[in-house]
Amino acid sequence: MYNATNKFITGICAVALAVIIATTSSCGGNSREEAAHQLYGNIEGLIDTRNYTGALELLDTLDTRYADLTALRRQALRLRVRAIEGQALDSISEGDARLCSAKMAVDSLQGGFRFVESPVGLEGYYVEKGASDKVLNSTGIQPRITEDGLFYIVANIQGRNIGLESLVFSDGAENVVSSPAPASRLVSVEGSELLSFKPEEVTPVALWLKDHPGTSKYALKGRKGTIDMKLSPELRRSIVATASYALAMQNLKMASVKREKFERRLQIARDQLANMPAEAEEEK
């Protein structure tokens, strides 16, 4: 983190210094062309030191400040593509590290989960291998993960209608409440209620439980009443583990998408370089 921050600050200072030099030169005895060429040289220096972000910022300065120097700006197109290529390569390298880390996290957790096939028309889901399939036959909750890797909690109330809308967990001194679910998502069948809490409604709850291992009770809170329940250590651990696995799956997906994005950017930059005329021809 220190190295990344230090590199960022150094890049900002280099860009600021280059702009000051270019501005000072243009205000002194040198011509605007000389100042522009000096700025161009600063851009080359930033690229040589792998400060691609700083180089791209100065290229923008060159385009706006010296819009009339079309020949130099055309020549700078090659520098811009080189900067984009270098930035993409650095991002791919960083992305590989994130991808590897995310893959290791998923691999370390997936052995503890199984996939449950659902009836035709319904999505399947992941649960811990030891999780019971009888959650819908009694009052209680079960943490799950969608096929897309999203954490959620299914809550079932057997034989009562309380207008279920949220879950409340307490460790005696503190408590956390899930975001209330709309009544439109509550399914009532023959005196029983079923509600699936979405990721954004219960993920904060799982994170809270991770930091509160002493939590021993929860409540099914409804618009017409509340049902108090015992939270076993095993169920608390299962909620935390399921949320952690879902997060690992999401991190892996995001790392993969980001890497593909920079791969495409790199290919575009290389295609542009390949289609550019040789530098010697540009100077004629």
Side-chain angles (χ1 to χ4, degrees):
M1 177 64 72
Y2 172 79
N3 289 336
T5 303
N6 191 46
K7 182 178 179 182
F8 175 77
I9 294 173
T10 301
I12 292 296
C13 293
V15 173
L17 180 60
V19 172
I20 291 172
I21 292 173
T23 304
T24 303
S25 299
S26 63
C27 294
N30 294 335
S31 66
R32 291 183 71 255
E33 289 79 4
E34 289 174 332
H37 279 85
Q38 186 170 5
L39 183 58
Y40 183 95
N42 291 331
I43 294 169
E44 287 184 309
L46 289 175
I47 291 176
D48 289 341
T49 57
R50 300 170 63 90
N51 187 349
Y52 304 116
T53 300
L56 289 169
E57 290 177 1
L58 283 192
L59 281 162
D60 291 339
T61 300
L62 182 69
D63 282 341
T64 55
R65 184 169 296 163
Y66 304 103
D68 56 317
L69 302 181
T70 55
L72 183 63
R73 289 175 54 224
R74 189 182 305 112
Q75 189 177 341
L77 286 175
R78 184 176 294 276
L79 293 184
R80 182 177 292 278
V81 175
R82 282 178 55 198
I84 293 173
E85 179 187 35
Q87 192 179 59
L89 283 170
D90 281 355
S91 297
I92 288 172
S93 179
E94 294 172 4
D96 284 342
R98 286 193 295 267
L99 193 62
C100 181
S101 177
K103 183 66 167 60
M104 289 176 63
V106 169
D107 289 346
S108 69
L109 294 169
Q110 67 180 1
F113 290 81
R114 60 184 173 87
F115 186 74
V116 178
E117 297 282 355
S118 290
V120 176
L122 297 177
E123 290 188 356
Y125 55 89
Y126 295 91
V127 294
E128 283 200 299
K129 283 187 174 179
S132 172
D133 293 326
K134 299 180 180 180
V135 63
L136 301 184
N137 297 324
S138 60
T139 298
I141 59 176
Q142 184 182 66
R144 296 178 178 178
I145 300 173
T146 68
E147 291 186 63
D148 293 330
L150 297 175
F151 170 71
Y152 70 108
I153 291 180
V154 170
N156 185 63
I157 297 177
Q158 195 72 14
R160 288 185 61 181
N161 285 296
I162 65 170
L164 178 62
E165 64 176 357
S166 59
L167 302 174
V168 183
F169 293 83
S170 174
D171 68 355
E174 299 179 54
N175 63 60
V176 63
V177 184
S178 68
S179 298
S184 58
R185 288 217 316 269
L186 182 63
V187 178
S188 298
V189 180
E190 297 180 355
S192 298
E193 293 182 341
L194 179 68
L195 179 62
S196 291
F197 290 93
K198 292 187 175 182
E200 61 270 23
E201 294 167 349
V202 290
T203 297
V205 169
L207 296 176
W208 187 89
L209 287 173
K210 183 177 180 180
D211 295 330
H212 295 76
T215 304
S216 59
K217 58 183 179 179
Y218 71 98
L220 300 160
K221 184 178 179 181
R223 300 170 184 82
K224 297 181 293 183
T226 299
I227 299 176
D228 294 321
M229 302 288 293
K230 178 182 178 182
L231 180 68
S232 67
E234 178 58 25
L235 179 55
R236 187 202 68 82
R237 185 208 57 75
S238 180
I239 294 172
V240 172
T242 305
S244 296
Y245 185 37
L247 178 60
M249 293 171 73
Q250 289 302 305
N251 287 339
L252 179 59
K253 182 181 295 185
M254 289 175 60
S256 179
V257 169
K258 285 183 177 180
R259 193 188 187 287
E260 289 176 4
K261 181 184 73 173
F262 288 116
E263 282 279 8
R264 289 194 298 270
R265 184 177 297 179
L266 176 62
Q267 189 57 53
I268 291 172
R270 287 180 170 171
D271 288 345
Q272 289 176 335
L273 276 176
N275 293 325
M276 281 185 172
E279 292 185 74
E281 294 178 3
E282 289 182 345
E283 295 173 357
K284 293 180 180 179

